[in-house]
Amino acid sequence: MLRKAITLFAAACVTVTGTTALAQNDPRADQDQITRYWFDQTTPKAAPAPQPAAAPTAAPAPRRVGYSSTGAFTIHNNEGRVHSAYPTGEASGGAIHVEKLLPAEISAGENFEYLIVATSLIDGEIHNVNICDQLSNNFQVVSAEPNPQSTSGNRYCWNLGNFGPRERKVIRITGSASGGESLNSCATVDFDLPLCAESRITTPQLTLEMNAPQQICKCDPFPISYVVCNPGTGVARDVVVSQQLPAGLTVNGSNTVTQSFASIGPGECREFQVMAEVAQPGVFRHNARATSGRLTADASAGSTTVGQARLALLCSSPDRRFIGNDFCHEYTISNPGDCPANNVQLSVGVSGAAPISASDGGNIGGSNVTWTFASIPAGASRTVSICFDPASPGTISTRGSASGDCIDDRPQTECNTEIRGIPAVLLEVVDENDPVPVGSDEIYTITTTNQGSATDTNILITCQLEPNVTFVSAQGATSATQSGATVTFAPLPSLAPKARATWQIRVRGAQPGDTRFRVRMDTDNIQRPVEETEATNIYQ
């Protein structure tokens, strides 16, 4: 039989875009790894077998000294191969490797199998792989697997779709040669090689919470805390939490709070706290905002009512008191504020007399009395007293002042009591010679003693004689004048406490009988006269 060697040639046209495909496996193709096809680029085309043909002589094994990109046809064990890598022609930079496998020699009219093997050389995807093979006119196609998508003349085209990483697909063609010296085919390859990049889409989010006390007292700690979280799927960057503080509230001397975070990862939270300072009592509302690019989150902690303790001080005392009568000055310290007043100090200075006692544990130190109260609740009060026992006339004064922790007001007040003495003049009249015979003299001694605590003034002594005695003479602390039966002494200007003044009147018995000597005393400090009568018996 006449055997004719038919040589195949390859050509390629490449485009680049696209991605995946289904694998097809061929037993022969599976035995041929890409690294196997390293051939000397000068390997000659196989020559036709001699006529008549004897058993074919095996070709020597190829030497792996270089990659053939020329499409040179090689023969090994009566198997012919031609191959190339696209688009570079070199495996090291190529994307897809295409080879043709067919018998080195075929018999005219007999069917043979012809393979086209396409293999991905990359770890990515290759899209829209199309292989078209232009067959010579003496090549009769019996069948093809897979079926070609188009045939025109003797040009067969297969759309192999997408190739995955290192994927291989095989086209099997069964045909025969009608005659001639050789069969030839020329394949073109085109495909899309996508250049793909992937960016993960994330969605960061922000939430903000803040907390502040609902009610405190001025000078109490005033913490404000913030918690900013990212419940999203991406990193929130350049996060800023800010609050414009209400008037009267500051943090480190500033009326704004600002805290920055370079980043907050998904599911993470950041927390911080500030200590605010309040200038005066009031109601302070809290609103804050967190921002990160176009993300915002608002939060409110409601309001904080800041109260304050206050102090008020009152004093009550008698306007006047007399010597020898004790009395007290009372001080009432109260808290009309809305917070407890702590560590309250009450200090009272005293002048005019030394106190004899102080209530509620008051400490008497010289001319000052002090009290300390650990706490006076809002709306409550404390009353204390300082007591005196005056020994001399004058004015006793006390002046109190109060203070406490974190209390701006320092109330003051005072009490005054006038101390007066009480004049109490005793009038005494004594006769010396009772009974007295007619013609003899009787002496009446008049004594005034100020038993009180104050000086009495203008002590006036008036004496009244009855008809059975006659006036003889008068003497004493002041001069006397006599008019009929009345003897009047000039007023004594003053009589000091415990002092004594004496007057004497001498009379002579004129007629027997029971006579009465009457004395009347008037002073500036008694509203009714004091009268005293002494009885004397005049006998014959």
Side-chain angles (χ1 to χ4, degrees):
M1 175 181 285
L2 177 64
R3 298 177 61 90
K4 297 182 179 179
I6 303 174
T7 306
L8 286 81
F9 301 91
C13 177
V14 179
T15 62
V16 180
T17 49
T19 318
T20 61
L22 300 174
Q24 295 183 15
N25 296 316
D26 176 82
R28 271 190 306 170
D30 288 344
Q31 297 170 7
D32 300 312
Q33 302 300 323
I34 294 172
T35 56
R36 175 179 173 185
Y37 306 118
W38 293 80
F39 304 113
D40 189 340
Q41 297 196 21
T42 61
T43 302
K45 186 185 220 181
Q51 299 291 335
T57 303
R63 290 184 301 145
R64 301 180 181 182
V65 294
Y67 188 87
S68 173
S69 61
T70 63
F73 187 67
T74 61
I75 297 174
H76 181 69
N77 294 331
N78 197 37
E79 182 180 63
R81 295 174 183 266
V82 65
H83 60 92
S84 187
Y86 300 88
T88 64
E90 299 291 338
S92 60
I96 192 165
H97 178 265
V98 178
E99 60 182 330
K100 293 183 178 183
L101 298 91
L102 76 168
E105 294 182 357
I106 57 176
S107 298
E110 292 184 1
N111 290 345
F112 64 92
E113 188 176 61
Y114 163 35
L115 300 181
I116 301 175
V117 181
T119 305
S120 169
L121 300 176
I122 63 175
D123 292 328
E125 293 185 345
I126 303 174
H127 289 188
N128 302 321
V129 178
N130 292 280
I131 296 179
C132 292
D133 203 15
Q134 181 66 53
L135 304 175
S136 61
N137 290 332
N138 59 343
F139 196 137
Q140 304 298 318
V141 175
V142 177
S143 64
E145 183 186 352
N147 291 326
Q149 272 69 44
S150 66
T151 58
S152 177
N154 224 24
R155 179 180 173 84
Y156 289 75
C157 292
W158 289 268
N159 181 357
L160 299 182
N162 299 341
F163 277 57
R166 309 291 176 177
E167 185 175 359
R168 175 176 291 177
K169 296 186 180 183
V170 178
I171 299 172
R172 292 182 176 83
I173 303 167
T174 300
S176 64
S178 60
E181 292 187 356
S182 63
L183 289 178
N184 63 69
S185 67
C186 184
T188 60
V189 180
D190 68 80
F191 56 90
D192 295 336
L193 186 60
L195 180 61
C196 299
E198 178 178 335
S199 294
R200 189 168 64 95
I201 298 176
T202 62
T203 306
Q205 297 177 357
L206 285 182
T207 63
L208 180 63
E209 294 182 5
M210 63 182 307
N211 290 283
Q214 292 185 342
Q215 186 165 5
I216 62 170
C217 296
K218 185 186 175 189
C219 298
D220 283 353
F222 193 160
I224 306 175
S225 61
Y226 310 78
V227 180
V228 57
C229 296
N230 175 9
T233 58
V235 177
R237 304 187 186 279
D238 299 323
V239 179
V240 177
V241 178
S242 60
Q243 179 187 3
Q244 181 68 42
L245 297 172
L249 206 62
T250 58
V251 171
N252 297 326
S254 174
N255 60 358
T256 59
V257 174
T258 303
Q259 181 68 45
S260 300
F261 301 97
S263 64
I264 300 178
E268 292 184 340
C269 294
R270 298 287 188 272
E271 182 175 1
F272 68 98
Q273 185 181 84
V274 299
M275 297 302 293
E277 297 175 355
V278 63
Q280 69 278 326
V283 178
F284 302 90
R285 297 196 62 82
H286 307 286
N287 296 287
R289 169 168 287 188
T291 61
S292 172
R294 292 180 293 177
L295 296 177
T296 61
D298 295 318
S300 173
S303 61
T304 299
T305 299
V306 179
Q308 184 175 19
R310 300 187 182 278
L311 292 178
L313 188 61
L314 295 175
C315 178
S316 63
S317 65
D319 292 335
R320 65 179 57 88
R321 277 295 184 267
F322 294 102
I323 294 172
N325 296 122
D326 57 357
F327 65 94
C328 299
H329 286 188
E330 284 190 346
Y331 280 83
T332 298
I333 183 169
S334 60
N335 177 9
D338 46 17
C339 283
N342 297 322
N343 193 28
V344 177
Q345 306 288 323
L346 172 60
S347 178
V348 179
V350 178
S351 63
I356 59 172
S357 65
S359 71
D360 300 273
N363 180 33
I364 301 175
S367 60
N368 201 59
V369 184
T370 57
W371 289 264
T372 299
F373 305 98
S375 180
I376 299 178
S381 62
R382 299 286 187 271
T383 298
V384 297
S385 60
I386 308 171
C387 297
F388 302 90
D389 185 8
S392 60
T395 299
I396 295 178
S397 297
T398 58
R399 178 181 294 271
S401 64
S403 63
D405 290 348
C406 195
I407 298 177
D408 297 332
D409 15 309
R410 297 176 63 90
Q412 297 182 349
T413 189
E414 66 177 71
C415 279
N416 297 288
T417 300
E418 180 187 2
I419 305 302
R420 294 181 178 179
I422 302 175
V425 180
L426 173 65
L427 176 63
E428 296 177 295
V429 180
V430 178
D431 58 356
E432 293 184 4
N433 302 313
D434 186 26
V436 175
V438 174
S440 295
D441 293 342
E442 177 65 276
I443 298 173
Y444 293 101
T445 300
I446 304 165
T447 302
T448 59
T449 303
N450 188 352
Q451 300 178 82
S453 56
T455 298
D456 208 345
T457 57
N458 292 322
I459 294 91
L460 178 63
I461 301 297
T462 304
C463 302
Q464 192 68 40
L465 304 178
E466 289 190 344
N468 53 345
V469 295
T470 59
F471 174 77
V472 176
S473 63
Q475 63 179 8
T478 58
S479 61
T481 59
Q482 188 257 333
S483 175
T486 302
V487 179
T488 303
F489 290 96
L492 181 66
S494 64
L495 185 63
K498 312 309 177 186
R500 180 178 296 180
T502 302
W503 293 268
Q504 286 185 339
I505 293 181
R506 183 182 289 271
V507 296
R508 188 167 291 147
Q511 297 177 6
D514 185 11
T515 186
R516 297 289 189 269
F517 179 69
R518 292 182 172 84
V519 178
R520 169 177 170 163
M521 179 180 67
D522 293 281
T523 72
D524 287 343
N525 289 294
I526 59 175
Q527 297 179 359
R528 296 175 58 190
V530 178
E531 295 181 347
E532 185 71 22
T533 300
E534 181 66 19
T536 303
N537 187 13
I538 306 297
Y539 65 92
Q540 185 68 44

